[in-house]
Amino acid sequence: MSDYWIRSRALFGALFGALFGALALAVLWAPPRSAASAEALPEGEHQALVAGFCGSCHSIELVRQQCLDETGWDGLLTWMSDTQNMPVLEPTLRANIIGYLATHFGPDAKADAAPIDLLAVDHGWQGMAISPIQRRTAHTAPTVRMLDWLVGVWQQDDGTRVREERWWLADDGRSLIGEGRVRQGASETVTETLRIVLDGERIVYWANIPANPAPVPFTLTKISSVQAVFENLAHDFPKRLAYRLQPDGVLHVLVGDAAAREFELQFSRVMPAP
């Protein structure tokens, strides 16, 4: 065997070894899948745990939009196990996750909860941005349970007339049923019947008002833990219904259109549910 061949084989072996070593180091030192998710979460004990567990199924932005106390987070995890096939967590693991979430994403965080534009993102589970890999493994269907904060009896009293908007969860848990009422003295009138339903991959708000010949649909376009915007640009008026729950517990409902015609209603919750 010539010296040239021996030297060539040695050089090739060295290059191959260097390349293999570099690839091995890249694999060994590559950040874990949850690293990007962890960066999106506040620093704190169990940050990596929450990032890895929650970020493996859906966008961390979905976590950031919820503003719940420990009881609320516990109930949400139970709901995800019961309806979204989330694994049942070992008690200590569950407590650590709930503790972190309630500390960093509790009710006091509501003021910072920005709405998600469902028309501008790649829709994933519950309308959140989600990667192609996650989309193949996650439950991508939206749910009206995103709007549980709307459930209850809301009332506006101007001293002479009481206006109410009532929302409750349907028995099947798949839609919200609502109605508007006006009470003046001994007279009470149902002014509209409402329903929020899942229609394919959209959530649709149906408003049935006696003056209209048929119910009018408005599609959910933005959502957060304290805000929901429904739009129907083809309708004459209104074209947009925007609900927002303020930190003081007052529900603001903005009714308007693109021509700057709008009015606002403000309701206080008088009871959790009818």
Side-chain angles (χ1 to χ4, degrees), residues 162-183:
V162 176
R163 183 191 297 270
E164 284 188 353
E165 189 162 305
R166 304 183 177 198
W167 290 99
W168 64 94
L169 186 66
D171 291 340
D172 61 6
R174 298 172 62 87
S175 61
L176 290 179
I177 302 172
E179 64 179 16
R181 293 170 174 254
V182 172
R183 187 170 67 251

Side-chain angles (χ1 to χ4, degrees), residues 191-239:
T191 57
E192 58 185 347
T193 56
L194 310 167
R195 197 172 186 93
I196 299 177
V197 302
L198 178 63
D199 182 5
E201 294 187 353
R202 304 180 309 154
I203 291 179
V204 180
Y205 177 118
W206 287 92
N208 190 5
I209 300 173
N212 291 331
V216 179
F218 297 84
T219 300
L220 180 70
T221 58
K222 293 183 180 180
I223 183 69
S224 80
S225 60
V226 294
Q227 182 173 355
V229 177
F230 304 88
E231 295 181 319
N232 180 346
L233 300 183
H235 191 234
D236 51 3
F237 185 89
K239 297 180 184 297

Side-chain angles (χ1 to χ4, degrees), residues 138-161:
H139 298 275
T140 59
T143 168
V144 298
R145 298 304 299 269
M146 300 159 65
L147 295 157
D148 275 359
W149 52 269
L150 192 57
V151 171
V153 177
W154 302 88
Q155 192 174 94
Q156 181 189 60
D157 188 348
D158 62 9
T160 60
R161 182 176 63 174

Side-chain angles (χ1 to χ4, degrees), residues 49-256:
L49 170 64
V50 172
F53 182 79
C54 300
S56 65
C57 290
H58 55 74
S59 168
I60 289 299
E61 279 303 310
L62 181 60
V63 177
R64 297 174 64 88
Q65 292 299 318
Q66 313 309 312
C67 305
L68 307 170
D69 58 15
E70 289 191 1
T71 300
W73 280 112
D74 185 65
L76 184 57
L77 292 183
T78 299
W79 173 79
M80 286 192 288
S81 293
D82 291 345
T83 67
Q84 303 296 310
N85 293 333
M86 186 190 83
V88 176
L89 300 176
E90 183 271 330
T92 301
L93 179 65
R94 183 185 181 98
N96 290 340
I97 290 175
I98 290 174
Y100 175 89
L101 293 173
T103 297
H104 298 284
F105 302 103
D108 291 341
K110 283 188 176 182
D112 300 324
I116 304 155
D117 189 344
L118 299 185
L119 299 180
V121 301
D122 182 12
H123 292 178
W125 182 55
Q126 294 195 349
M128 296 304 305
I130 196 166
S131 72
I133 293 176
Q134 289 174 322
R135 188 186 303 107
R136 289 195 293 269
T137 58
H139 298 275
T140 59
T143 168
V144 298
R145 298 304 299 269
M146 300 159 65
L147 295 157
D148 275 359
W149 52 269
L150 192 57
V151 171
V153 177
W154 302 88
Q155 192 174 94
Q156 181 189 60
D157 188 348
D158 62 9
T160 60
R161 182 176 63 174
V162 176
R163 183 191 297 270
E164 284 188 353
E165 189 162 305
R166 304 183 177 198
W167 290 99
W168 64 94
L169 186 66
D171 291 340
D172 61 6
R174 298 172 62 87
S175 61
L176 290 179
I177 302 172
E179 64 179 16
R181 293 170 174 254
V182 172
R183 187 170 67 251
Q184 192 164 7
S187 174
E188 184 174 43
T189 305
V190 176
T191 57
E192 58 185 347
T193 56
L194 310 167
R195 197 172 186 93
I196 299 177
V197 302
L198 178 63
D199 182 5
E201 294 187 353
R202 304 180 309 154
I203 291 179
V204 180
Y205 177 118
W206 287 92
N208 190 5
I209 300 173
N212 291 331
V216 179
F218 297 84
T219 300
L220 180 70
T221 58
K222 293 183 180 180
I223 183 69
S224 80
S225 60
V226 294
Q227 182 173 355
V229 177
F230 304 88
E231 295 181 319
N232 180 346
L233 300 183
H235 191 234
D236 51 3
F237 185 89
K239 297 180 184 297
R240 186 172 184 265
L241 305 171
Y243 286 76
R244 182 169 182 83
L245 183 60
Q246 299 290 78
D248 59 4
V250 175
L251 180 67
H252 290 234
V253 183
L254 186 65
V255 182

